[in-house]
Structures are given as structure tokens and as C-alpha cells.
Amino acid sequence: MATVKADKNNFQSDVLQASEPVVVDFWAEWCGPCKMIAPALEEISSEMQGKVKIAKLNIDENPEIAAQFGVRSIPTLIMFKGGEVADMKVGAAPKTALSAWISGAVA
């Protein structure tokens, strides 16, 4: 499964009310490091299908959601479980580190 797009219209249903853990990638078009980790997140989304959902939220299009969760730097990855923030990771990282973080958080 590929990553899904999150925005103010579906954040409640697709992230906060999701049955599985959800990692939200807070990003923007102009962010180089965000673009660097995007392919890794796509791969992890496919590899961990059924265990975790990965959503991408453009902060320029949804500044109120970014502000609600205190996102000040991007990329910021926030893990949600049961509608609550379970963990947060700020900054780009290699796929192995991202995969290990996500695996550890959903275990």
C-alpha cells in the first residue's frame, strides 16, 4: 500500500480514528530532506502493509494541523496510536533508521 494523503478533511477519520497505528509525515514541496525520505516511506508503507499506515501531510496546505501538533521543523514524523501521539521523530534519516523506528513503535 502506498502512502496516503492526509489533510484537514480526512485527518480525523484517517489518522485519529484509524484502527492501526499511523505515521504522519509532515512535509512541504520546498523541503529537500522531505523529498529525500519520501521514497523510503513509500517502500516502508508497502513492506509494513496491514501493520501501519503512512500518511503525508503538506504543512503549507494544512498549517493548522502542523501547529496543533507543535511541528516546527520538517520533516517531522509523528506516530499516532488510538488517536494519540505515541512518538515523534524530527529530521531526515536513512531508510534503515526510519524502518527500525516505525517497527519499534508499532511492536
Side-chain angles (χ1 to χ4, degrees):
M1 180 172 137
T3 58
V4 295
K5 181 179 177 182
D7 59 31
K8 61 182 175 247
N9 299 318
N10 68 1
F11 194 83
Q12 182 74 30
S13 61
D14 287 3
V15 177
L16 300 180
Q17 295 173 347
S19 56
E20 72 269 74
V22 182
V23 174
V24 179
D25 172 22
F26 289 82
W27 72 288
E29 279 295 333
W30 48 264
C31 169
C34 298
K35 291 183 177 184
M36 279 178 22
I37 68 169
L41 292 175
E42 291 289 340
E43 291 174 20
I44 293 167
S45 180
S46 294
E47 292 165 6
M48 299 188 72
Q49 185 173 350
K51 296 179 189 159
V52 66
K53 181 193 303 185
I54 299 181
K56 298 177 71 60
L57 185 131
N58 186 318
I59 64 163
D60 289 335
E61 296 171 0
N62 303 278
E64 63 285 340
I65 297 175
Q68 178 182 347
F69 292 100
V71 174
R72 299 186 197 283
S73 314
I74 55 173
T76 291
L77 302 172
I78 300 181
M79 169 77 68
F80 291 88
K81 288 185 186 175
E84 301 288 323
V85 174
D87 203 359
M88 180 186 288
K89 185 171 187 62
V90 179
K95 180 185 174 191
T96 52
L98 293 173
S99 187
W101 175 72
I102 294 169
S103 295
V106 299

